[in-house]
Amino acid sequence: MTQLDLKQAKKAVSALYKFQANNDNNNELLEEESDNAIIIQLSTHTIKNVTPKTKQKKINLKHSPYSNDLEICLITKSNPSEIEDLIKKQNVPYIKKVITPLLLKTTYKTYESKRKLASSYDLFLADDRISHLVPELVGTSFLKKNKVPVAVKMSGSLKENVNKVLKSTYAKASAGTVCTIKIGHFGMKQSEILDNYEAAVPQLVAHAARDWSFVNIVGLKSKKSPLLPIICNLPQGKEEKKEKEEKKEEKKEEKKEVKKGAKAVTKGKVTKQKTAKKAVKKTK
């Protein structure tokens, strides 16, 4: 797909890794896991007529964007002890804590307690049977950190279901012109980031812009880096206007050349006539 501009994307990925390497020399310890994230940022020409919601759009990737030391908190309606036994039995190492909706209503009732909980884990998963209730229970503290729990199926193999979630990223609906998604981290190979970019952008365009004609800029960035643009499009109409103006200029130049040519021909004829008259006079 030509719109993706993979050649420019490869350059952007390389530049981002160099920027991070220089930044790491100055700041050896990253503040948190999000500092290590690689993000696609897409902006549109116009504001979408939507209301921001906590429901997120799943974006499938080729490689998991999460690090190997990922820590997950699972929110389930089942007995936590039974789920913890299942986690050990199926060897799902990423899930470090299991809580119920009741705990969110009691132990984590206050805004401050929810904020601390949101900061304690990299990802939150919600039992698909109650996932529609969870966003209201976790509140704005999770929304601000972009950690609204993601639904996971509890039927079948929990390990397989969790792994499917981990090979995806999530974009929330935005009423503004900018949408961002995480597609990886600096512990991944540059080729893997490029693979995820190629997989994610068409899905993100369909979700955030509806169509390529509404896309303004697509670029890559980290938390601390500036945006590195990969795709830049003029608003629809402006490009056509520019082409028309260029054609008008070309026509003007053509007319000027034609006029110059006509004048030269006329001048040549007049000169010949004058020369002929002089020759006749001399003969007489």
Side-chain angles (χ1 to χ4, degrees):
M1 193 171 184
T2 55
Q3 289 105 320
L4 295 179
D5 200 345
L6 294 179
K7 188 176 180 180
Q8 185 63 25
K10 188 176 181 180
K11 291 178 182 177
V13 171
S14 178
L16 201 59
Y17 271 72
K18 287 177 182 176
F19 178 91
Q20 185 68 15
N22 292 334
N23 195 61
D24 282 349
N25 291 334
N26 298 327
N27 301 283
E28 293 183 4
L29 295 175
L30 293 171
E31 293 174 7
E32 54 182 76
E33 195 270 340
S34 61
D35 290 336
N36 206 26
I38 296 174
I39 298 161
I40 290 178
Q41 180 173 301
L42 180 149
S43 64
T44 55
H45 294 301
T46 56
I47 296 174
K48 286 181 68 179
N49 187 24
V50 298
T51 303
K53 297 178 181 178
T54 51
K55 189 175 181 181
Q56 304 173 97
K57 170 67 177 176
K58 184 180 181 182
I59 306 289
N60 295 314
L61 301 175
K62 291 183 180 178
H63 310 280
S64 173
Y66 302 101
S67 59
N68 292 329
D69 57 355
L70 173 73
E71 294 190 351
I72 297 173
C73 176
L74 173 64
I75 303 166
T76 178
K77 66 179 289 186
S78 301
N79 186 314
S81 298
E82 293 177 1
I83 298 300
E84 285 168 359
D85 289 339
L86 183 64
I87 289 168
K88 289 177 182 177
K89 185 179 178 180
Q90 294 191 10
N91 187 26
V92 190
Y94 303 125
I95 301 178
K96 303 298 182 182
K97 190 174 182 67
V98 180
I99 62 175
T100 62
L102 181 61
L103 276 178
L104 290 173
K105 292 178 180 178
T106 54
T107 306
Y108 301 104
K109 185 178 180 179
T110 66
Y111 177 85
E112 184 60 24
S113 61
K114 284 186 172 71
R115 188 187 66 79
K116 287 181 179 178
L117 178 63
S119 299
S120 299
Y121 299 92
D122 303 309
L123 180 67
F124 289 82
L125 299 180
D127 187 325
D128 63 321
R129 297 168 295 177
I130 58 164
S131 59
H132 61 292
L133 302 172
V134 172
E136 190 176 341
L137 293 175
V138 297
T140 56
S141 52
F142 275 68
L143 186 61
K144 286 178 180 178
K145 287 184 172 290
N146 202 25
K147 287 188 178 180
V148 175
V150 176
V152 62
K153 287 184 179 181
M154 298 302 289
S155 58
S157 170
L158 179 61
K159 185 174 184 177
E160 287 182 11
N161 293 338
V162 169
N163 285 336
K164 285 180 182 178
V165 171
L166 296 184
K167 282 194 74 174
S168 308
T169 191
Y170 296 83
K172 62 182 179 182
S174 172
T177 59
V178 177
C179 184
T180 59
I181 56 168
K182 174 181 175 177
I183 61 162
H185 57 87
F186 288 102
M188 295 171 66
K189 295 177 182 177
Q190 292 188 30
S191 59
E192 291 175 331
I193 298 297
L194 193 61
D195 286 343
N196 281 354
Y197 166 85
E198 185 177 7
V201 171
Q203 299 174 72
L204 186 60
V205 168
H207 167 69
R210 298 190 299 275
D211 186 79
W212 277 100
S213 60
F214 296 103
V215 174
N216 182 16
I217 295 174
V218 177
L220 288 175
K221 68 186 294 293
S222 66
K223 185 176 179 180
K224 295 181 179 180
S225 79
L227 178 69
L228 302 178
I230 297 169
I231 302 165
C232 299
N233 292 328
L234 289 171
Q236 193 176 33
K238 283 190 177 181
E239 194 169 350
E240 293 173 5
K241 188 177 179 182
K242 188 179 178 182
E243 286 178 6
K244 285 180 181 179
E245 287 176 353
E246 286 176 353
K247 284 180 181 179
K248 281 182 181 179
E249 288 298 321
E250 286 177 6
K251 285 182 179 179
K252 283 181 182 179
E253 290 298 321
E254 285 176 4
K255 285 181 180 179
K256 284 180 181 178
E257 291 298 323
V258 169
K259 284 181 180 179
K260 284 181 181 178
K263 284 181 180 179
V265 171
T266 303
K267 190 176 180 181
K269 285 181 179 179
V270 171
T271 303
K272 283 181 181 179
Q273 287 175 358
K274 285 181 178 178
T275 304
K277 285 180 180 179
K278 286 178 180 180
V280 171
K281 284 179 180 179
K282 284 181 180 180
T283 306
K284 287 180 179 179

